[in-house]
Amino acid sequence: MRRGLLITFEGSEGCGKSTQVERLAARLKKQGTPVLVTREPGGTAIGEQIRHLLKFAPESAAMTPETELLLFEASRAQLVRELIEPALANGQTVICDRFFDSTTVYQGVARRLPSEVVEQLNRFAVGNAIPDITFVVDLDAATARARMLRRVRPAGNRDRMEQEPQEFYERVAEAYRELAKHEPQRVILIDGSPSADQVEAEIWAAVESKIATRESQI
Ligand code: TMP
């Protein structure tokens, strides 16, 4: 059985990546590719509990950056072993809404935790599950923030991460652009400002080209 592709989506809150995750999954399924869609933090029963703790639990107001880092990695370690690795081994294409690049960017750059610690923990959490393609949906921080604030939540509240100041999100957006520059063979920067249809078409072209390259290597 040929190992499946691991495709991850990254970007600031409000950049439109979750819409693109759904659209890509729908396109792949339509052409008969088995697909698993998941997200971070979360995706497993343990991970969803960690997600709640990280984003919404009242106790999380007192969370230190170090604890935050370890909780994201714990959720990831569980997700990789429980869902991602078995799916890839089974030939499924896995699409993950955020993965280890989020930790590099948010905890490493925006929270300023030591990058070598973040890198080591990322490696420990993912093992062999390195993405084949990572899309960074790039949107300027002000537009992304405005979109994020318009998003309706049942309680109308922002989560803990969304309460960070604008400057935090500027660091996030810039760090993603840097990442794309440093790893151009894996990380594709996509302009998130055109219509969702245009963004979808650009992403699809990149995925098709990746699939064609893989097939030519058989
Ligand atoms: P989202 O699923 O709505 O994008 O929320 C996840 C939040 O967690 C978002 O603010 C980004 C943040 N995050 C990190 O800070 N580090 C990580 O490793 C991951 C996966 C997410």
Side-chain angles (χ1 to χ4, degrees):
M1 172 75 67
R2 184 122 202 250
R3 190 174 163 87
L5 277 180
L6 174 57
I7 303 173
T8 61
F9 279 77
E10 297 282 351
S12 299
E13 289 77 351
C15 71
K17 72 184 158 41
S18 303
T19 304
Q20 295 302 327
V21 164
E22 282 169 26
R23 288 179 175 223
L24 176 60
R27 278 208 182 207
L28 286 166
K29 283 181 191 161
K30 210 168 151 197
Q31 66 164 37
T33 305
V35 179
L36 171 80
V37 176
T38 188
R39 68 171 180 184
E40 281 205 355
T44 62
I46 291 174
E48 290 296 325
Q49 296 275 339
I50 296 175
R51 181 181 178 91
H52 175 73
L53 193 53
L54 277 162
K55 285 174 68 115
F56 301 111
E59 299 79 9
S60 72
M63 191 180 292
T64 71
E66 293 79 4
T67 306
E68 180 183 285
L69 167 66
L70 292 167
L71 286 173
F72 280 117
E73 299 292 4
S75 171
R76 178 166 306 133
Q78 186 68 30
L79 180 68
V80 166
R81 286 153 191 85
E82 189 177 323
L83 285 185
I84 295 181
E85 271 301 343
L88 293 174
N90 205 21
Q92 278 179 284
T93 291
V94 176
I95 305 177
C96 196
D97 189 339
R98 296 193 181 281
F99 202 53
F100 61 17
D101 297 307
S102 283
T103 312
T104 303
V105 165
Y106 283 80
Q107 282 64 52
V109 180
R111 292 260 193 255
R112 301 194 166 97
L113 288 171
S115 59
E116 64 283 2
V117 174
V118 171
E119 246 175 68
Q120 225 178 340
L121 288 171
N122 275 345
R123 261 186 269 130
F124 181 63
V126 303
N128 293 327
I130 305 295
D132 297 284
I133 319 178
T134 297
F135 292 108
V136 168
V137 182
D138 181 42
L139 201 59
D140 73 273
T143 312
R145 193 171 174 77
R147 277 203 207 167
M148 183 262 285
L149 293 177
R150 275 203 305 271
R151 252 191 336 218
V152 186
R153 281 241 164 68
N157 289 330
R158 284 187 256 164
D159 69 36
R160 188 179 61 89
M161 300 298 291
E162 290 165 349
Q163 287 168 25
E164 291 296 333
Q166 170 90 10
E167 186 248 347
F168 181 88
Y169 289 102
E170 272 155 21
R171 283 208 297 278
V172 165
E174 195 42 45
Y176 273 128
R177 289 177 203 129
E178 282 300 309
L179 188 79
K181 265 191 227 153
H182 283 115
E183 284 193 66
Q185 67 293 12
R186 173 176 70 88
V187 183
I188 303 175
L189 195 71
I190 300 280
D191 179 4
S193 58
S195 71
D197 286 350
Q198 280 169 278
V199 175
E200 178 187 341
E202 201 182 329
I203 289 171
W204 183 244
V207 170
E208 277 196 312
S209 132
K210 184 80 189 180
I211 293 171
T213 311
R214 261 184 33 130
E215 269 157 23
S216 71
Q217 286 164 352
I218 294 178

